[in-house]
Amino acid sequence: MAAAELDDSDRAILRELVGDATSGAGEIGRRLGLSQPATWRRIRRLEEAGVIKGRRVEVDRASLGFGVTVFLGIKLATRGRVSLEDFERAATAIPEVQMVQHVLGLFDYRLRVVARDLADFERVLRRRVMTLPGVGNVEANVVLTEERRPGPFG
Amino acid sequence: MAAAELDDSDRAILRELVGDATSGAGEIGRRLGLSQPATWRRIRRLEEAGVIKGRRVEVDRASLGFGVTVFLGIKLATRGRVSLEDFERAATAIPEVQMVQHVLGLFDYRLRVVARDLADFERVLRRRVMTLPGVGNVEANVVLTEERRPGPFG
DNA sequence: CTTGAAAAGAACTGCCT
DNA sequence: AGGCAGTTCTTTTCAAG
């Protein structure tokens, strides 16, 4: 996808929507000094250009009973010639796996895993992750705190 | 936060909204066999209970010219001498840093960094990340592909 | 770009089963 | 708890400057 041409207003709108997509075009425009139709047209243009990929709700996993989040780094065993597709398919089939990243570096894959507690995580690790096809070394990082930032828009 | 009591309908609604929060209570209820008010009341209850933390738009960074995403694992060098708060404040001040995770394991922090390309990432790494207060070993994983899954809801 | 107004739809409220 | 009918509000769309 080629870089879309965005001006300051577009970037300001994106910053608002990434932080909180609750308010509509009217309220966002008011904050930026734009009229409601102008803001609405810009948002629609950003959606059509593919800059805005979708809208989702953020869920508090802790209130759902999943208090533990762990990032796993996985190095595939060099011995067996297991296809990446096999590994990815098996990894994404684990309910507790929220994200599967194919990465370049010390590891081949990074998995974001949620569990109810550390005991539950150990169960997932031993019975699900360690039995993935081709899995070699596994490194784990338990998430203590996580802060998200808006990120650069231009 | 205590685990909220959710039934199957609540979980189904959450699954829908996490995947796509475009449609309103009416459409979601139609898909689940619930009326618009019933679905709306459940969504509001989930928001008030804190299960739904917020709504955000997802942005396609590639179309904004940020084609490179890197996960950094950072081990602090002088523990105790540099406060974690100092590191976190400095890390979150870097525009290219999208996420700062305090983690337990081989590393102390995990950073999600976006850059225009690898040359741009090298600039961020050398001038911004390596100069963070207390930074020791740094490990990098360039993201090739990333697949998100809904995750377990119950 | 703006304002104004109309049409569409979503959100919200009572009342009833 | 869920559904129905109605009201209120925002969003969306269009017309015109």
Side-chain angles (χ1 to χ4, degrees):
Chain A
M1 237 168 271
E5 305 139 24
L6 309 180
D7 62 12
D8 292 337
S9 293
D10 288 323
R11 282 189 276 271
I13 289 173
L14 280 177
R15 231 169 279 129
E16 294 271 347
L17 288 175
V18 167
D20 175 19
T22 302
S23 36
E27 192 175 332
I28 291 174
R30 226 167 290 133
R31 283 200 286 265
L32 303 177
L34 284 175
S35 71
Q36 189 275 336
T39 311
W40 184 84
R41 261 192 290 267
R42 281 174 182 273
I43 294 175
R44 206 170 77 95
R45 190 176 139 269
L46 290 168
E47 283 168 341
E48 285 170 351
V51 176
I52 293 178
K53 268 195 295 188
R55 295 160 185 271
R56 359 210 105 185
V57 300
E58 205 182 331
V59 165
D60 180 42
R61 323 256 165 207
S63 73
L64 288 175
F66 290 89
V68 173
T69 301
V70 182
F71 266 84
L72 294 178
I74 295 182
K75 180 79 186 166
L76 295 186
T78 49
R79 285 238 211 149
R81 59 197 189 292
V82 179
S83 74
L84 304 179
E85 284 77 14
D86 284 343
F87 179 87
E88 289 174 18
R89 202 176 312 115
T92 51
I94 303 175
E96 289 85 358
V97 170
Q98 283 197 280
M99 190 174 72
V100 178
Q101 279 182 344
H102 186 197
V103 296
L104 218 55
L106 254 68
F107 296 101
D108 297 310
Y109 283 94
R110 299 218 129 256
L111 269 52
R112 185 188 181 106
V113 178
V114 293
R116 301 184 178 282
D117 46 47
L118 282 180
D120 186 40
F121 170 71
E122 199 205 353
R123 176 189 62 82
V124 176
L125 182 67
R126 294 174 73 147
R127 306 184 58 138
R128 297 293 211 152
V129 176
M130 300 304 275
T131 58
L132 284 171
V135 73
N137 289 335
V138 177
E139 181 237 6
N141 282 112
V142 179
V143 177
L144 297 175
T145 66
E146 178 175 292
E147 186 172 349
R148 290 167 202 266
R149 277 186 24 87
F153 291 104
Chain B
M1 238 167 270
E5 305 140 25
L6 309 181
D7 62 12
D8 292 337
S9 293
D10 288 323
R11 282 190 276 271
I13 289 172
L14 281 177
R15 231 169 280 129
E16 294 271 348
L17 288 174
V18 167
D20 175 19
T22 302
S23 36
E27 193 176 333
I28 291 174
R30 226 167 291 132
R31 283 200 285 266
L32 304 177
L34 284 175
S35 69
Q36 189 272 335
T39 311
W40 181 85
R41 262 192 273 266
R42 280 175 181 273
I43 293 174
R44 205 169 75 97
R45 189 176 143 271
L46 290 168
E47 282 168 343
E48 285 169 349
V51 176
I52 293 178
K53 268 195 295 189
R55 296 160 184 270
R56 356 211 106 178
V57 300
E58 204 182 331
V59 165
D60 180 41
R61 319 257 164 207
S63 73
L64 289 174
F66 290 89
V68 173
T69 301
V70 182
F71 265 84
L72 294 178
I74 295 182
K75 180 82 186 164
L76 295 185
T78 52
R79 293 201 49 164
R81 301 188 55 175
V82 177
S83 75
L84 304 180
E85 283 77 14
D86 284 343
F87 179 88
E88 289 175 19
R89 202 177 311 114
T92 51
I94 303 174
E96 289 85 358
V97 170
Q98 282 197 279
M99 190 173 74
V100 177
Q101 278 182 343
H102 186 198
V103 295
L104 219 54
L106 253 67
F107 296 101
D108 297 312
Y109 284 94
R110 299 217 129 256
L111 268 52
R112 185 189 180 105
V113 178
V114 292
R116 303 183 178 283
D117 47 47
L118 282 180
D120 186 40
F121 169 70
E122 199 204 355
R123 176 189 62 82
V124 176
L125 182 67
R126 293 173 74 146
R127 306 182 61 134
R128 298 292 210 152
V129 176
M130 299 305 275
T131 59
L132 285 171
V135 74
N137 290 335
V138 177
E139 180 236 7
N141 282 113
V142 179
V143 178
L144 297 175
T145 65
E146 178 175 293
E147 185 171 350
R148 289 166 203 267
R149 278 185 24 87
F153 290 105

